[in-house]
Amino acid sequence: MKVVILAGGLGTRISEESHLKPKPMIEIGGRPILWHIMKYYSEFGFHDFVICLGYKQYVVKEFFADYFLHTSDVTFDLANNKMEVHNNYAEPWKVTLVDTGLNTMTGGRVKRIQPYIGDEPFMLTYGDGVCNVDLKGLLEFHKSHGKTATITTVSIDQQKGVLDIGPDNTIRSFREKAASDGAIINGGFMVLNPEVFSYLKDDTTVFEQEPMTRLAAEGQLMSFYHDGFWQCMDTQREMQLLEKLWQSGNAPWKIWNE
């Protein structure tokens, strides 16, 4: 199953860092948060990634093109114009990097990668958040209900999409969060059937608005509630929080061995 990661936004709320690189390439523990997300998925056996690029896309492409240089010891023999890479551990990843446009909205980015997905279910998440969600449990739940979309939901005071969830886990409505809300929100880490592409019109489509509203109204949007760790990285403060967790040796999303 392919994992689609949205990594093309401007990251304006963390502009201290994102003026130099795309937000998913901002580092936690010396590695881009995008890498952390991919490592997490990979531990559950998901190794095939489609990454939606936009702002400063070349930074992401260069990172993967020179992946061994970023992750291994290297000897440069300048006299003989040779390079030797030492201990070059290869991740079991297939990574497709797609230019989905500089100003394309989230739904438009997903629409653009449809040729790389085909007629298969796929996972979708944002390139700026980490968690300890049970991804295998998420996928099993999605397969069990037969609806078009499942999103991981979390309870946290953030300005994200607010959900009204019925007793059978059907999401009955989806709207943008108001300042007065203290509700369950969209945490990303989604599983989608290919029918979702019919809800996406063009580059102006914001996935979290009209498509999700329609899915909810039609009873096709389901909630997989996660009460464990979840944290996005929208601000400098949140970046510092994640870095502190990583440096403490107790980062909840680090489930892999070095």
Side-chain angles (χ1 to χ4, degrees):
M1 176 175 281
K2 290 182 171 63
V3 178
V4 178
I5 303 177
L6 293 167
L10 296 176
T12 54
R13 285 186 286 180
I14 192 169
S15 58
E16 302 94 332
E17 298 282 340
S18 62
H19 73 287
L20 297 173
K21 63 186 72 172
K23 184 164 66 163
M25 295 303 291
I26 295 173
E27 295 181 354
I28 302 298
R31 299 285 177 85
I33 191 169
L34 176 63
W35 177 89
H36 289 260
I37 295 167
M38 294 170 71
K39 286 287 285 186
Y40 189 79
Y41 271 99
S42 192
E43 285 298 301
F44 286 87
F46 303 107
H47 308 305
D48 194 348
F49 298 94
V50 179
I51 302 178
C52 303
L53 303 178
Y55 175 67
K56 294 187 182 293
Q57 59 170 301
Y58 64 88
V59 177
V60 184
K61 290 179 177 177
E62 289 173 357
F63 174 79
F64 286 104
D66 296 331
Y67 189 80
F68 287 141
L69 297 181
H70 291 284
T71 58
S72 307
D73 298 330
V74 184
T75 297
F76 292 99
D77 183 347
L78 301 183
N80 296 296
N81 192 28
K82 293 182 179 180
M83 179 185 72
E84 181 181 1
V85 178
H86 309 281
N87 305 317
N88 54 332
Y89 172 75
E91 304 285 356
W93 299 346
K94 178 181 178 182
V95 185
T96 302
L97 304 171
V98 184
D99 177 9
T100 55
L102 180 61
N103 298 310
T104 308
M105 298 292 101
T106 50
R109 295 190 190 281
V110 176
K111 183 70 172 178
R112 286 207 190 191
I113 56 88
Q114 184 175 1
Y116 299 95
I117 299 299
D119 192 29
E120 300 290 339
F122 63 99
M123 289 190 161
L124 172 69
T125 197
Y126 304 101
D128 62 356
V130 287
C131 67
N132 62 356
V133 173
D134 177 4
L135 295 178
K136 284 293 180 68
L138 167 64
L139 181 56
E140 289 170 2
F141 173 71
H142 178 77
K143 290 178 177 178
S144 73
H145 60 63
K147 302 295 180 64
T148 301
T150 302
I151 65 176
T152 297
T153 53
V154 295
S155 181
I156 194 168
D157 185 21
Q158 298 256 358
Q159 290 188 353
K160 307 295 181 184
V162 175
L163 312 171
D164 175 23
I165 301 172
D168 62 349
N169 289 312
T170 299
I171 297 176
R172 298 179 296 201
S173 68
F174 188 100
R175 63 178 172 78
E176 289 301 297
K177 182 176 174 64
S180 59
D181 284 318
I184 296 173
I185 65 164
N186 170 20
F189 297 92
M190 300 168 249
V191 188
L192 306 171
N193 289 342
E195 292 79 17
V196 76
F197 290 115
S198 66
Y199 292 79
L200 310 175
K201 294 179 181 178
D202 53 32
D203 285 357
T204 66
T205 303
V206 179
F207 185 67
E208 300 79 9
Q209 294 179 1
E210 198 266 346
M212 280 200 177
T213 300
R214 275 188 58 202
L215 285 164
E218 295 172 8
Q220 291 296 315
L221 186 60
M222 299 293 287
S223 162
F224 181 79
Y225 183 69
H226 172 62
D227 61 359
F229 176 82
W230 177 89
Q231 181 61 57
C232 64
M233 188 184 68
D234 277 340
T235 65
Q236 189 85 1
R237 182 189 64 80
E238 290 168 342
M239 183 193 75
Q240 292 167 352
L241 169 63
L242 292 175
E243 180 68 28
K244 184 177 180 180
L245 285 170
W246 183 264
Q247 295 301 335
S248 73
N250 296 310
W253 69 92
K254 186 184 179 299
I255 59 174
W256 58 88
N257 295 320
E258 295 293 349

